Amino acid sequence: MKQVQLSCSLLLLMFVTFYSCTNSATAPSPKASSPTSSKPLVPALPDSPDSSDSAPDDIGRILKKAKTFRVLTRLLKSTEIMSNINSQLMTAKSGGLTIFAPDDNAFAQLKAGFLNSLNQGQKIELLQFHILPQYVSSSNFDSLSNPVQTVAGEDPTKLPLNVMAYGNSVNISTGVVNATIDGLVYSDTNLAIYRVNKVLLPLDFFVKSKAPAPAPVEAESPIADKKSSAEDQENQDKSAALSLLSIQGTALMSIAVGFVVVAMI
């Protein structure tokens, strides 16, 4: 009887051991938690060129592959800003650039003849107003401090540019227009190009400079007026006296001539 109990105990122990080994071998190992990455605020456009097949130092090639930036490309070439950007990207070691690129539809919304009314300097300022002298990734717009400095300058009264991130949208205000960033055109470690739905018009174009105020006319003092009046009266008295002497001299001369004529007779 004892042998039977011992055999049962051994069998039970073997079964428990086997079951424990089987569970430990088949149980799934816990997955390592992956670090959470910040979600991009601006989605990539479906027709945006890939950074692997576009030269980061050739803005023209990038915009050409994106297909909808013909007007912007023409302006960048005619003002030579495109070559300046390409040169900067080739030589810059850090910092980078961010470009807000209005597409052809955005330029079509401008008033007819607006671009032709701008001189070369204004066209350069308009394009520089669309460029930030820093690289901003699609998930870092909410970290910018307003007003944001552009290549056009940092005067907040003439060139204000405010970037506001709300949820999954990024809006830009210039004091003249309110635009929205609706897609990422291109991005690498040194350059980011974003499509905007409106041309960013600087406030400087629409604020007329105030004409300088005329210099105040100095009022003459009463003493000076009295002195001037006295001098004028004195001059008039002298003129009257001279006239009287002239008349008297003429009369005496006439009388003397009369006496001479009588004496001769």
Side-chain angles (χ1 to χ4, degrees), residues 22 58 99 108 191 217:
T22 304
D58 191 344
I99 301 176
L191 172 68
V217 178

Side-chain angles (χ1 to χ4, degrees), residues 36-63:
T36 57
S37 58
S38 56
K39 184 179 180 181
L41 297 175
V42 180
L45 297 174
D47 54 351
S48 60
D50 183 48
S51 58
S52 60
D53 62 343
S54 297
D57 55 354
D58 191 344
I59 302 299
R61 186 183 304 176
I62 295 173
L63 294 178

Side-chain angles (χ1 to χ4, degrees), residues 178-196:
N178 294 315
T180 301
I181 300 178
D182 55 14
L184 174 66
V185 178
Y186 176 88
S187 180
D188 57 29
T189 58
N190 217 31
L191 172 68
I193 303 178
Y194 298 95
R195 187 178 70 184
V196 291

Side-chain angles (χ1 to χ4, degrees), residues 21-89:
C21 294
T22 304
N23 282 346
S24 61
T26 57
S29 58
K31 295 183 180 180
S33 59
S34 58
T36 57
S37 58
S38 56
K39 184 179 180 181
L41 297 175
V42 180
L45 297 174
D47 54 351
S48 60
D50 183 48
S51 58
S52 60
D53 62 343
S54 297
D57 55 354
D58 191 344
I59 302 299
R61 186 183 304 176
I62 295 173
L63 294 178
K64 184 177 181 180
K65 287 186 177 182
K67 300 178 182 179
T68 60
F69 299 95
R70 294 179 180 86
V71 179
L72 178 61
T73 302
R74 185 175 70 248
L75 286 172
L76 289 171
K77 288 182 178 179
S78 63
T79 56
E80 299 184 358
I81 290 182
M82 180 177 291
S83 59
N84 293 337
I85 293 176
N86 291 338
S87 299
Q88 182 173 346
L89 291 174

Side-chain angles (χ1 to χ4, degrees), residues 57-211:
D57 55 354
D58 191 344
I59 302 299
R61 186 183 304 176
I62 295 173
L63 294 178
K64 184 177 181 180
K65 287 186 177 182
K67 300 178 182 179
T68 60
F69 299 95
R70 294 179 180 86
V71 179
L72 178 61
T73 302
R74 185 175 70 248
L75 286 172
L76 289 171
K77 288 182 178 179
S78 63
T79 56
E80 299 184 358
I81 290 182
M82 180 177 291
S83 59
N84 293 337
I85 293 176
N86 291 338
S87 299
Q88 182 173 346
L89 291 174
M90 291 178 64
T91 57
K93 301 299 181 181
S94 61
L97 294 172
T98 300
I99 301 176
F100 298 128
D103 60 7
D104 294 336
N105 291 331
F107 279 102
Q109 298 176 34
L110 292 175
K111 184 179 178 180
F114 175 78
L115 289 178
N116 293 331
S117 68
L118 301 179
N119 56 39
Q120 189 73 353
Q122 289 174 321
K123 290 179 181 179
I124 292 175
E125 180 180 326
L126 176 64
L127 294 173
Q128 290 177 336
F129 192 58
H130 289 72
I131 305 173
L132 306 185
Q134 59 178 311
Y135 171 79
V136 182
S137 68
S138 59
S139 58
N140 287 341
F141 279 106
D142 53 356
S143 64
L144 293 176
S145 298
N146 291 316
V148 180
Q149 180 182 353
T150 69
V151 177
E154 54 181 347
D155 188 345
T157 60
K158 294 183 179 181
L159 300 167
L161 185 77
N162 296 298
V163 179
M164 294 149 289
Y166 299 108
N168 293 328
S169 64
V170 180
N171 299 326
I172 302 176
S173 175
T174 70
V176 180
V177 297
N178 294 315
T180 301
I181 300 178
D182 55 14
L184 174 66
V185 178
Y186 176 88
S187 180
D188 57 29
T189 58
N190 217 31
L191 172 68
I193 303 178
Y194 298 95
R195 187 178 70 184
V196 291
N197 65 343
K198 291 183 182 179
V199 178
L200 305 180
L201 300 176
L203 185 63
D204 188 29
F205 284 7
F206 302 91
V207 176
K208 295 182 179 180
S209 58
K210 295 182 179 180

